Amino acid sequence: MPATDTHVPITAQPWRTGLTMLVFAGLFAYVAFRLQVLQIDESKRLAEMGERQRTRTWTIMAPRGGLYDADGSPLAVSAGTWNITADPVYMDDRLRATVELSRILDLSREDLRKEFELPRNGRTIARGITDDQATQVKTLKLGGVYVRREYTRRYPEGALAAHTLGFVLRDGKGGAGIEQVFDGDLAGTPGKEIVTVDALGKPSLTDAESIPAQGGAHVQLTISAPLQRILEEALMAQVAACKPLSASAVLVRPATGEVVAMASWPTFDPTDLSKLDVSALRNNVLTFPYEPGSTMKPLFAGAAVADRLTTFNEMINCEKGAWTYREGRAKRTIHEKTGGHGILSVTDGIALSDNILMAKLGVRMDPERMEEWMRLFGFGRTFGFTLPGEEPGMLPRAKKWTRINEGMSLPIGHGFMVTPLQLAMAHAAVANGGVWLPPRIVKRLWTVDGERERDLPLPATPEPRRIYTPDVAAALQEAMTHTLTEGTAKSAELDGYTAAGKTGTAEKVVNGRYSNGDNIGSFVCWAPAEPQMRPELLCLVVIDDPSIGKGFGSVVAAPVVQQVLQKSLEHLRVPKRPVAEPEKPRTSGTTTTPRTTPRIRR
């Protein structure tokens, strides 16, 4: 049987070729797309990722700049110590590391063994080790064990000037005071240490790069540590004696505007923040607006004299303690609650703190001019003072002032609010011959690069301005000396120094009304207050609502100021005046009321 032909003819199938070519074209297109993405679009990101994977970067802490007092004594410093960290995953000899570190650091071998057995890197083994211990650990060259520099903030004077200096938080940032304001300058610039690692993450000992840290700038303050200590000790003793709600004190050099001491209570200890009460952070010198009471009277009397509305020798009838003023249909009566006076000179009115005399001067002045004077004194605005939290105080609302309201209230220190710093600087202008200077607390800001020092610009301050002419300022100072020789602060006279000052007692507003039992006592004073002699120091103390004793400024504030000025002037070795013969009783400006009459304690 003949063989059958089973061959099947092959028919051309071009679609198979096209499909194959299309598949390969798609694959090549995808590869080209991925190459585009990896090598061009994401090349930078992938390169950075690879760099991060092959390097380890550690931050080198920068030493924080120091804070110094006016004489260069350290108030805050950064003490350098060392810490030891370990990456157990990269350690090449855990047994040797355990034995050697236990010996050098005096740590338990069992504790170290447990640390090194953990599968997590970045273990802190010890903190605060000495330079000698750090050197010994470095010499061992243990793989996966690192010695790092760290700094601890220390305050050599403890809690001295706490509100001025502030403190440093755990993250290394300034939390208050100068530490907060100058944090960017004090912090410095951290350095870096970059180490290359192999595929297993083990650091290379040869391929490393180190960028050193740059230390922070230093700040020198106008604060004098010895005078700050005198001020704080006197204020804290009075706080313990009369138990007020709060207290504040400031010591100023009138000729320069420098704040040489500043204290506030409640206070805190920057070396132990675990006991910090948030309310204690308030610096009352800057953030406690209050009605100044009678401490305003000399300032306004000087304004009235400067505007030629009166003279210091003018005799004014003080109406025996009660006076009614009428303006149109309105009328208002001023009373002296603790007695009254007859005819007083303006000088005696300042010394005896007579409300009626000051109110009579107030109604003579045009209200618009009175507002100009309040602004000239620096009230109702901030100074741009270096420390944080400065309050502007409060002036009457922006309406038309009247003689019967502002004219009678503002000259006796009612109806507006100031901060202790504002009032101190206004009185410092009198002591400075009539020139108001902005308060300063920073003396110098500088950096150190090797052995070279470079000064940095200080914060801007307002321009000085003249408030009184030299003659008016000198006459006002002389008038204020009678407050201590025969007025409301007679018990606060200084030994060997002539002083000028004014007491103040302001009733606090409680439930919308002035309270008879809630007072703020204050006293401002400077010395020496001799003609043609520059006063050295001015001190203001404000005691808020003492719970023990009366809140009169002559009782709660004047003794503190007396103690502070006496000790401070003696510490500075300011010469005392020669002992003079006893002066005869004054005859000028006598009053119709005998000197034995009760005086108003303001």
Side-chain angles (χ1 to χ4, degrees):
M1 185 173 179
T4 304
D5 186 4
T6 58
H7 176 73
V8 179
I10 298 175
T11 305
Q13 295 177 328
W15 64 273
R16 291 177 179 269
T17 303
L19 179 61
T20 302
M21 294 179 65
L22 183 62
V23 170
F24 276 96
L27 291 175
F28 278 114
Y30 177 74
V31 171
F33 170 74
R34 290 300 298 164
L35 290 175
Q36 167 75 21
V37 171
L38 295 177
Q39 295 187 3
I40 299 178
D41 296 344
E42 295 191 6
S43 61
K44 184 177 181 180
R45 183 182 68 85
L46 294 175
E48 291 175 351
M49 183 184 297
E51 184 68 19
R52 289 196 300 268
Q53 290 177 347
R54 77 180 188 89
T55 60
R56 298 284 185 270
T57 302
W58 288 277
T59 299
I60 302 175
M61 293 182 61
R64 193 173 179 87
L67 304 181
Y68 302 89
D69 82 341
D71 298 321
S73 299
L75 299 176
V77 296
S78 288
T81 57
W82 300 89
N83 63 14
I84 306 295
T85 60
D87 289 343
V89 175
Y90 306 141
M91 293 180 66
D92 53 7
D93 193 343
R94 299 183 185 179
L95 177 59
R96 178 169 174 257
T98 300
V99 173
E100 295 292 351
L101 293 180
S102 174
R103 175 182 60 84
I104 296 173
L105 305 178
D106 194 22
L107 297 175
S108 166
R109 290 190 181 184
E110 181 65 21
D111 292 340
L112 287 174
R113 185 184 62 79
K114 291 180 180 180
E115 288 283 355
F116 296 155
E117 287 179 350
L118 293 174
R120 297 186 302 274
N121 290 331
R123 312 299 302 172
T124 299
I125 306 303
R127 290 186 180 277
I129 68 172
T130 64
D131 292 343
D132 180 61
Q133 290 173 314
T135 300
Q136 293 183 56
V137 175
K138 289 180 180 178
T139 303
L140 296 174
K141 298 182 179 180
L142 298 171
V145 177
Y146 313 103
V147 182
R148 298 283 178 260
R149 190 67 160 167
E150 66 177 7
Y151 295 91
T152 304
R153 199 60 163 173
R154 295 182 180 176
Y155 299 89
E157 298 290 344
L160 189 74
H163 289 93
T164 299
L165 302 181
F167 54 85
V168 176
L169 300 169
R170 290 184 178 180
D171 61 1
K173 295 186 178 298
I178 294 294
E179 297 277 25
Q180 175 184 341
V181 174
F182 290 94
D183 183 63
D185 296 300
L186 292 168
T189 304
K192 291 181 180 180
E193 186 176 354
I194 304 173
V195 178
T196 302
V197 298
D198 59 19
L200 299 177
K202 185 175 181 180
S204 170
L205 298 180
T206 58
D207 190 6
E209 179 183 1
S210 180
I211 302 175
Q214 182 178 352
H218 304 285
V219 180
Q220 184 177 23
L221 305 175
T222 60
I223 295 292
S224 168
L227 302 189
Q228 178 73 30
R229 192 174 296 107
I230 291 172
L231 184 70
E232 288 191 14
E233 289 176 354
L235 186 65
M236 295 308 125
Q238 186 68 329
V239 166
C242 65
K243 301 188 182 305
L245 293 180
S246 66
S248 56
V250 60
L251 193 63
V252 177
R253 185 165 283 117
T256 62
E258 295 175 332
V259 176
V260 297
M262 178 187 296
S264 178
W265 184 87
T267 187
F268 62 92
D269 186 351
T271 65
D272 185 8
L273 299 181
S274 62
K275 300 178 182 179
L276 178 63
D277 186 347
V278 177
S279 62
L281 292 176
R282 179 177 180 177
N283 186 345
N284 292 314
V285 176
L286 307 176
T287 64
F288 179 65
Y290 71 106
E291 291 192 351
S294 296
T295 52
M296 179 61 192
K297 292 175 180 177
L299 297 176
F300 185 80
V305 171
D307 282 353
R308 299 183 179 180
L309 301 177
T310 186
T311 65
F312 287 109
N313 294 325
E314 182 186 359
M315 309 303 292
I316 297 177
N317 187 357
C318 297
E319 311 291 345
K320 298 291 186 179
W323 176 63
T324 300
Y325 175 74
R326 290 176 172 81
E327 189 174 66
R329 296 182 179 180
K331 67 177 181 178
R332 180 180 176 186
T333 301
I334 295 287
H335 293 282
E336 289 287 2
K337 295 183 178 180
T338 56
H341 302 95
I343 298 177
L344 293 177
S345 68
V346 173
T347 294
D348 285 336
I350 294 173
L352 299 178
S353 197
D354 192 274
N355 285 341
I356 293 174
L357 184 145
M358 297 308 302
K360 283 191 172 185
L361 292 182
V363 299
R364 296 182 185 181
M365 184 175 289
D366 183 80
E368 293 182 357
R369 178 58 178 160
M370 183 177 292
E371 183 175 6
E372 292 176 4
W373 273 106
M374 299 295 281
R375 300 292 184 184
L376 197 60
F377 291 139
F379 302 154
R381 67 183 68 178
T382 59
F383 300 146
F385 193 58
T386 305
L387 295 179
E390 182 187 4
E391 291 282 346
M394 187 274 293
L395 291 180
R397 293 181 179 178
K399 61 180 180 63
K400 186 177 181 180
W401 290 10
T402 64
R403 286 180 167 84
I404 200 169
N405 289 320
E406 289 77 14
M408 297 179 72
S409 295
L410 271 56
I412 62 176
H414 286 181
F416 71 104
M417 305 180 81
V418 299
T419 65
L421 183 63
Q422 288 175 332
L423 188 70
M425 299 315 297
H427 278 274
V430 181
N432 191 39
V435 177
W436 182 92
L437 297 176
R440 297 193 304 116
I441 201 168
V442 177
K443 190 173 184 178
R444 187 188 179 202
L445 175 65
W446 78 99
T447 60
V448 178
D449 185 6
E451 296 183 355
R452 181 183 177 186
E453 294 185 357
R454 179 170 62 90
D455 284 349
L456 300 177
L458 297 178
T461 58
E463 291 295 324
R465 59 178 177 268
R466 177 165 290 283
I467 295 180
Y468 304 113
T469 64
D471 291 342
V472 170
L476 182 54
Q477 173 178 276
E478 197 279 333
M480 293 178 68
T481 62
H482 296 293
T483 303
L484 286 92
T485 58
E486 56 199 77
T488 56
K490 188 175 181 179
S491 61
E493 279 193 279
L494 302 181
D495 179 19
Y497 302 102
T498 301
K502 187 70 189 75
T503 56
T505 305
E507 296 175 342
K508 297 179 68 174
V509 176
V510 179
N511 297 325
R513 300 178 63 88
Y514 284 103
S515 170
N516 291 326
D518 301 277
N519 297 327
I520 298 176
S522 61
F523 182 49
V524 60
C525 183
W526 65 86
E530 301 279 357
Q532 307 302 321
M533 184 176 182
R534 186 181 72 174
E536 187 68 31
L537 295 173
L538 176 146
C539 184
L540 168 66
V541 170
V542 180
I543 306 294
D544 177 20
D545 202 6
S547 58
I548 298 179
K550 298 180 179 180
F552 295 124
S554 58
V555 176
V556 296
V560 182
V561 174
Q562 178 192 39
Q563 182 180 353
V564 170
L565 286 180
Q566 188 73 49
K567 290 184 177 180
S568 297
L569 293 172
E570 291 175 352
H571 172 81
L572 296 174
R573 298 182 178 179
V574 177
K576 294 185 178 182
R577 67 176 185 272
V579 178
E581 295 293 330
E583 295 183 0
K584 297 180 180 180
R586 293 172 62 248
T587 57
S588 62
T590 55
T591 72
T592 58
T593 304
R595 286 295 190 198
T596 55
T597 12
R599 297 189 178 109
I600 299 175
R601 307 177 82 178
R602 293 288 180 184

